Amino acid sequence: MKKLATYYVFSNANTPLAKVYKPIPTLNDGEILVNIRYTTLCGSDLHTYCGLRNEPCPTILGHEIVGVIEEISATHSGTDVEGNQLQVGDLVTWTVFASDPNTASYQPEIPQKNERLYKYGHRQITEQDDLHGGLATHIILRPHTCIRVLPKEISLGVAATINCAIATSAGALRLAHTIAEKNVHVAGIGLLGLVTIAMCKELGAKNIIASDVNPARLAMAKRFGASHTINLRDTADSHILQDITIDRFIDMSGSPDAMELGIETLGLHGRAVLVGAVFNQRETRIDAEKVIRKMLSIKGLHNYNYTDFSTAVDFIIDNWQKYPFESLIEREFPLTEVNAAIDYAINHKPIRAGLYIQPSTEQI
């Protein structure tokens, strides 16, 4: 008797996902079968669904995932990246990508940019390759995936976000360098912005300024550690960026206006890290003379590396109850209601909508 997996297929923009049953295949060398317990809908999933970005189709969307080990290939090392023994029943998180270090283009500092990248939630379904996305009951982790064991008591909704938003925020702060006793401006108060604010708070930032156009999001920023908030539609708030010398600017909004303001108001030898601009928009204007005379550094980050992932895991293990992370999963749905969850996320724009998956016992 073979156990069945269920997954939901995305084929065309703005079209309901189709349910598919699939016998779970025998694991190949170095693979791990995970029973998915929770998946959150990231903004990139919704952009794909709405036709704002392209993915090879048909595909299984979803990459913010957490699950329980169901089977381990005999040829797997049997340990996570920290050297912990992996066992059936362990709750685990993993990198959104598997990056083969034997590839000529592999660079240890940026493994996420390897030309032979296996990226979960972003692959085409083929006869030989499926069970690679989060809107499913199962996923197969391929070789060169970085895995961490999690405490069983951790919130599944919060844990699901580790391998995307949390790890990306960790990468942004790595590029920003020193945060302790610095004045930090974070633009764009979605999940990335809120996580970045909490991380800055834990790292000992002097002042943390949050900017956005949404008053409700700015109120959330205060709960995650922001000392000041700026509504970019309210000119009365603009004095904050003149009154405080900004040492670090981290953009999670992708807005050219926000990026221009953030770089313009950096102080001497300030650092900017740009993360949010991963969609088509107008070009961002930068005053090169000011960059030179103020000796500014501007870095870009796309996804994250293995070190960032482990930093993110440690941060959430230590702080998931200290900050109101659970409140950011604004509504939960069973996986069987995935199309309703997508509609809700598109129409209501929560920080995150979550999908919980009960352990599957279906067989053929």
Side-chain angles (χ1 to χ4, degrees):
M1 299 274 294
K2 276 203 167 185
K3 196 169 183 180
L4 284 176
T6 303
Y7 58 78
Y8 289 81
V9 178
F10 169 79
S11 296
N12 296 290
N14 300 301
T15 302
L17 308 189
K19 187 176 185 178
V20 171
Y21 293 101
K22 162 74 185 289
I24 297 174
T26 301
L27 294 182
N28 294 318
D29 286 349
E31 293 181 341
I32 291 179
L33 176 67
V34 171
N35 183 259
I36 297 173
R37 293 299 171 85
Y38 208 101
T39 298
T40 43
L41 292 174
C42 179
S44 63
D45 296 319
L46 302 175
H47 290 159
T48 300
Y49 183 86
C50 294
L52 300 177
R53 59 179 283 163
N54 295 318
E55 294 287 2
C57 289
T59 188
I60 306 169
L61 296 176
H63 52 272
E64 293 184 344
I65 317 166
V66 67
V68 170
I69 293 177
E70 192 164 303
E71 184 182 349
I72 304 173
S73 165
T75 55
H76 191 277
S77 68
T79 59
D80 74 358
V81 71
E82 297 289 294
N84 300 307
Q85 195 69 32
L86 295 172
Q87 298 179 356
V88 171
D90 281 344
L91 183 69
V92 290
T93 181
W94 55 90
T95 46
V96 74
F97 60 86
S99 187
D100 184 353
N102 300 308
T103 304
S105 64
Y106 183 85
Q107 297 182 53
E109 189 177 348
I110 50 169
Q112 74 273 28
K113 304 308 288 185
N114 195 349
E115 65 182 15
R116 289 173 55 190
L117 200 69
Y118 192 102
K119 198 167 182 184
Y120 299 105
H122 298 274
R123 292 186 64 84
Q124 187 172 32
I125 297 169
T126 68
E127 287 189 17
Q128 296 77 32
D129 186 25
D130 60 4
L131 296 186
H132 43 51
L135 300 183
T137 58
H138 295 79
I139 191 167
I140 295 175
L141 304 186
R142 274 63 180 185
H144 311 301
T145 303
C146 186
I147 301 170
R148 286 285 303 268
V149 177
L150 294 173
K152 292 187 184 297
E153 67 272 14
I154 196 168
S155 162
L156 293 179
V158 175
T161 65
I162 290 173
N163 70 350
C164 184
I166 314 294
T168 301
S169 295
L173 292 181
R174 171 177 55 83
L175 294 182
H177 293 279
T178 308
I179 296 297
E181 294 302 313
K182 300 296 184 183
N183 296 320
V184 185
H185 173 196
V186 180
I189 310 304
L191 182 53
L192 283 163
L194 293 168
V195 172
T196 300
I197 289 167
M199 286 182 169
C200 287
K201 183 74 173 176
E202 292 302 306
L203 290 169
K206 184 176 182 181
N207 288 290
I208 306 169
I209 299 96
S211 65
D212 203 291
V213 296
N214 185 324
R217 296 289 179 91
L218 292 172
M220 285 184 187
K222 285 280 193 177
R223 297 171 64 199
F224 279 82
S227 56
H228 303 76
T229 60
I230 299 173
N231 188 326
L232 295 173
R233 290 178 177 159
D234 186 349
T235 55
D237 289 344
S238 61
H239 70 90
I240 294 171
L241 295 176
Q242 280 79 50
D243 296 344
I244 299 174
T245 300
I246 305 300
D247 304 300
R248 304 288 183 263
F249 170 62
I250 302 171
D251 180 74
M252 300 299 190
S253 72
S255 162
D257 290 341
M259 289 185 284
E260 289 164 359
L261 176 66
I263 294 169
E264 170 76 18
T265 53
L266 271 172
L268 184 66
H269 207 219
R271 293 179 179 270
V273 181
L274 309 181
V275 181
V278 289
F279 46 87
N280 289 329
Q281 60 197 323
R282 72 166 175 85
E283 292 184 355
T284 301
R285 296 183 295 271
I286 296 173
D287 187 330
E289 182 183 359
K290 286 188 177 179
V291 171
I292 293 166
R293 291 189 181 279
K294 292 165 93 174
M295 299 178 64
L296 304 181
S297 298
I298 302 173
K299 293 275 191 177
L301 177 70
H302 185 230
N303 297 142
Y304 55 85
N305 65 24
Y306 291 127
T307 300
D308 302 330
F309 169 71
S310 275
T311 298
V313 174
D314 293 338
F315 171 79
I316 286 297
I317 289 173
D318 291 341
N319 295 289
W320 71 273
Q321 291 177 300
K322 184 174 180 179
Y323 297 91
F325 283 107
E326 287 183 283
S327 69
L328 303 182
I329 314 299
E330 297 184 35
R331 187 169 170 186
E332 296 181 319
F333 298 79
L335 179 63
T336 52
E337 297 179 17
V338 61
N339 288 305
I342 291 171
D343 287 345
Y344 172 82
I346 291 170
N347 292 319
H348 294 272
K349 297 178 174 54
I351 297 290
R352 284 294 186 271
L355 291 144
Y356 56 88
I357 298 98
Q358 299 297 339
S360 175
T361 58
E362 294 180 286
Q363 295 181 333
I364 58 170

